[in-house]
Structure formats: C-alpha cells, structure tokens
Amino acid sequence: MKKNGIKHYRFSVSWPRIVPKGRLNSTVNDKAVARYRDILKALKAAGITPYVTLYHWDLPAVLAIQGYGLTDKYFVQDFAYFAEVCFKNFGEYVDNWFTFNEVWCVALLNEFKQRDKGTKPYLIAHTLLLAHAEVVKIFREKYNPKKTGKIGIVLNSSMMYPKDPKSEKDKEAARRGLVYSLSWIADPVFKGDYPEEMKKRAGKRLPTFTEEEKKKLKGSCDFFAINHYFSELCEDGNGETPWDYWSDRNVKTSYDPQWKLTDSGWPIVPEGLHDLLYVIHTNWAQSAKVPIWITENGCAVSEPTLSESQHDTLR
C-alpha cells in the first residue's frame, strides 16, 4: 500500500475474534488484539491513516444461539463492551471510527420468518441505532479527551430518480424511496428521531425512542459516511396495505435500459453520486456542519490483463 501511495485504509475489526463469547465482561482474545495492534503499527510506520469499522456484519454466533442476535435485549451493552475493548487497545493508533456499516443492509438482507417480516427489520435498525448512540457516548466521554478523534455510522443508498420525470407520482416515489433508505437512519443520528411519514405509515410496527435516547442519538456523528454504487428509477408501488418495510415504502424500482451495467449487474450512473451527495448536503450535512465521507464506491468490471486494468476507461 505504501509503495502505491495509499494514504488511507478502511477496514473492520472482528467482534467474534476479539470477544469470542460476545457478552459483556467475557474473555478477550489477546492474540487477536495483538494481531490488530501489529497491523495498526505497520500502518502508522507506513504513514497510512486507519479508519476502523467496529461492526461489518460478523455477529458472534453465541449471541444468536443464546439470545435473539441483533434484537437481543442485551445487544447494546454487549456491543458497547466490545467497542470499549477496541478503544482501549487500539485508540493510540486510531482516530477515525465507524460503529456500524450499512444499517439498511443489516436490517433488511436477512431471511425472516413470515410473522417477523412486518417488524423485525425496524427492530434491528432500532437496536443498532441505540448501540451506536451508546458507543459514541462512551468514546466521547472516555476515549477522546483531546477531541481529535471522530466517530460515526456508515449509511448506504442508491440515488433514486422518477421513472417519468413529468409524473408527480413518480417524483413522490423517488423522494419516498430516499426517505426509506437514507432518512430512516440519518434522521435519528442527526435530528434525533425517525421521519414523521415513516412513523405514520408503520404505526406501532416502528419502535419509538425515549426522550433520553433522542438526545443521545442527535448529533452522534462527526461526519456523514455514505456507501454508494448505483442509481435506480422509481415509480409508485402497487399500493397494497402497509404491513412491512417494502409495502410501507411502496416504491417499484428499475434501471434505465440505456445505463451500462457492471459485472455485478449494477448500473453505471456517475451523476448519481453527485446528486446523492447534494441530497445529503442539503438535508443533513449542511445543518449539522459535518463533512461528507464517501466510504465505499466503485465499479466492478472485468480486467483480466494488465493492459486492460491500466486503461479502464469504463471505470
């Protein structure tokens, strides 16, 4: 990395490796801690700034076996314990922290039982937001006395456009799609609560925050971190009675047939990143006075030869 001039490196630490039993006050794996410290020392020696994600989807199995995994009532305290182990052992090398990567994906990309589909994605996101707020509080009060460190959460979203730019219903569908992908998580951490239209549409299926939780959540990000890979066209959904996230959102998405696709099947829409950043700036970053960090972005294309990789004009 040093040879190639890389100055920044984002990676995740593994909760199951560092705290194998996952629970509050359980044994720390010293070998895992030493391994990560060696990596961080090497990065420092090479002049590379680390950006560390605490949770990139590797949940200790014991939490799922003994409890309810991401919705377990002890999840917040267990995750906070793991985070504090990391702050204590890696803090001298790390100034930039991410609590969770892509809460939207964690909440929705699961195999749910039919009886859980209406509530569990909302409950998972809610639990992660509470854990995020608790970890940020611990970091700011105990491990960032000089205020030089930064901490936040990583969101992900496509850019959403109306399929028919002249259709008011399609315009509304595109706006609503962004509410359900971005505002769902961004509003709590920057404004202290869920969007009003989500609360109204989901009703009791969407958990609520206490006044104390709202205060902890609001302002709990030192930056707006976003992962973005593709854009979508939106039109009004089929209007079925709201009973889960997808029917609450009520948006049908598609790709413009003129858009080229990556090898992963995602459309290549460069202006989508620009437009999404504008949405983020005008709705959250500007008022919160925080920078926007693009934490993931890319274009998966086949480059089997050195020549093709050096002249990757599609990318």
Side-chain angles (χ1 to χ4, degrees):
M1 289 192 288
K2 180 180 180 180
K3 183 180 178 181
N4 285 290
I6 293 173
K7 298 297 182 183
H8 306 273
Y9 179 54
R10 175 176 173 246
F11 69 101
S12 62
V13 289
S14 173
W15 184 358
R17 289 179 180 173
I18 294 173
V19 185
K21 292 186 178 181
R23 295 295 190 184
L24 174 68
N25 295 327
S26 57
T27 303
V28 174
N29 180 356
D30 292 333
K31 289 184 178 180
V33 169
R35 174 59 176 162
Y36 283 120
R37 284 180 62 86
D38 287 344
I39 293 171
L40 290 165
K41 289 176 185 177
L43 290 170
K44 182 177 181 179
I48 299 171
T49 302
Y51 295 74
V52 176
T53 301
L54 292 169
Y55 185 86
H56 198 142
W57 310 351
D58 47 351
L59 180 74
V62 67
L63 269 66
I65 295 169
Q66 294 181 350
Y68 293 92
L70 295 168
T71 60
D72 192 277
K73 65 179 180 179
Y74 299 115
F75 181 90
V76 173
Q77 68 175 32
D78 293 339
F79 182 72
Y81 170 69
F82 159 66
E84 195 159 5
V85 169
C86 293
F87 296 151
K88 286 178 181 177
N89 287 281
F90 312 138
E92 64 182 294
Y93 301 106
V94 181
D95 285 330
N96 304 291
W97 298 90
F98 307 105
T99 52
F100 295 96
N101 182 71
E102 298 184 344
V103 176
W104 187 95
C105 291
V106 178
L108 285 163
L109 304 185
N110 287 284
E111 291 293 331
F112 297 115
K113 294 179 180 178
Q114 186 67 20
R115 68 172 184 268
D116 295 331
K117 287 183 177 180
T119 56
K120 203 157 189 179
Y122 291 134
L123 185 56
I124 289 174
H126 192 79
T127 305
L128 267 56
L129 284 166
L130 294 177
H132 159 81
E134 179 64 19
V135 167
V136 170
K137 183 176 184 290
I138 291 170
F139 174 74
R140 288 175 173 172
E141 292 181 352
K142 297 178 63 175
Y143 298 97
N144 193 30
K146 297 181 180 179
K147 309 301 180 184
T148 55
K150 295 183 183 299
I151 191 167
I153 198 167
V154 179
L155 284 72
N156 65 287
S157 180
S158 59
M159 180 57 201
M160 301 189 181
Y161 298 105
K163 185 172 184 178
D164 179 357
K166 296 180 181 179
S167 166
E168 292 302 320
K169 283 191 173 182
D170 288 5
K171 290 178 184 178
E172 174 61 17
R175 184 204 62 80
R176 193 167 61 249
L178 286 171
V179 167
Y180 276 79
S181 63
L182 269 183
S183 305
W184 178 18
I185 310 302
D187 273 17
V189 298
F190 287 105
K191 301 177 181 179
D193 203 358
Y194 294 121
E196 286 300 320
E197 67 181 279
M198 289 189 70
K199 291 193 284 184
K200 182 178 179 180
R201 196 159 174 85
K204 294 182 179 179
R205 290 183 289 107
L206 183 68
T208 58
F209 297 114
T210 66
E211 290 304 313
E212 181 182 354
E213 290 167 347
K214 290 178 183 179
K215 290 178 182 178
K216 284 175 68 175
L217 276 163
K218 187 176 181 179
S220 59
C221 286
D222 297 320
F223 45 78
F224 194 116
I226 184 70
N227 295 350
H228 170 76
Y229 288 99
F230 60 92
S231 296
E232 297 175 282
L233 299 179
C234 299
E235 55 188 312
D236 215 25
N238 58 20
E240 67 174 304
T241 301
W243 70 276
D244 68 349
Y245 170 89
W246 301 105
S247 56
D248 289 343
R249 190 178 79 154
N250 191 36
V251 176
K252 181 181 178 182
T253 60
S254 60
Y255 299 154
D256 188 324
Q258 295 184 16
W259 289 342
K260 293 182 179 179
L261 301 180
T262 65
D263 283 9
S264 57
W266 291 345
I268 302 170
V269 191
E271 63 271 23
L273 177 58
H274 171 278
D275 294 342
L276 186 64
L277 293 178
Y278 182 77
V279 170
I280 291 169
H281 172 73
T282 55
N283 285 280
W284 300 283
Q286 183 179 39
S287 58
K289 297 180 180 179
V290 297
I292 302 171
W293 290 2
I294 302 171
T295 37
E296 288 184 30
N297 177 247
C299 179
V301 294
S302 177
E303 299 166 343
T305 68
L306 178 61
S307 176
E308 286 174 295
S309 66
Q310 291 174 331
H311 302 282
D312 54 349
T313 55
L314 181 62
R315 186 191 308 278

